[in-house]
Amino acid sequence: MNVLLPEVSGTFGEIPELTFPEAPAPKGLRVLMLEEGTGPVVMAGQEIEVNYHGQIWNGEVFDSSYFRGEPSRFPIGVGMVIQGWDQALVGKQVGSRLLISVPPVKGYGEAGNPRAGISGTDVIVFVVDILGVH
């Protein structure tokens, strides 16, 4: 069975727009390489610099570094961000653009993230541009 993921407009560095399929969200973590980078490989324990766009499956945008006008930096692969990010971004190369579909168990869990409008049953989708590692 094919898993349908949202279509993404825009290329690396551009604000993405997601178009969701007429299908339910996938059950597990799904990672789709939209553009493969050629820079250094992201390793667990490094600080990563990214631009990202986060949206609830078939719902609202809940966060976007593009809208803030500055990238985000944080440790990766060490439990400082949601599990879906730790698993999806480690091993990818700088310069890559990824689409990541994150089920609740690898996102914010049963509690969700009420401040961001995310319920405990929401699948969340990110487009992530990996800008650098430090």
Side-chain angles (χ1 to χ4, degrees):
M1 182 171 99
N2 285 343
V3 173
L4 295 176
L5 294 171
E7 290 185 21
V8 180
S9 69
T11 60
F12 187 93
E14 297 178 341
I15 297 172
E17 284 190 31
L18 299 174
T19 304
F20 289 86
E22 295 290 326
K27 299 289 183 212
L29 179 67
R30 303 292 179 176
V31 181
L32 178 64
M33 180 70 68
L34 299 171
E35 294 181 44
E36 191 163 7
T38 58
V41 173
V42 175
M43 292 186 280
Q46 290 182 312
E47 186 174 71
I48 189 171
E49 185 173 351
V50 300
N51 267 321
Y52 67 90
H53 185 79
Q55 190 167 345
I56 296 169
W57 185 275
N58 226 2
E60 299 297 315
V61 173
F62 59 84
D63 193 12
S64 180
S65 66
Y66 295 97
F67 295 166
R68 288 193 300 276
E70 63 179 307
S72 293
R73 288 175 71 155
F74 47 81
I76 195 72
V78 293
M80 298 298 289
V81 293
I82 62 171
Q83 190 179 38
W85 275 45
D86 276 346
Q87 292 178 0
L89 297 175
V90 170
K92 303 302 186 287
Q93 289 180 273
V94 171
S96 295
R97 173 172 267 205
L98 300 131
L99 174 71
I100 308 168
S101 177
V102 183
V105 69
K106 294 192 183 288
Y108 294 103
E110 291 179 6
N113 184 340
R115 205 175 75 214
I118 300 168
S119 80
T121 59
D122 284 334
V123 171
I124 52 180
V125 179
F126 295 93
V127 176
V128 180
D129 288 345
I130 304 173
L131 304 175
V133 290
H134 307 278

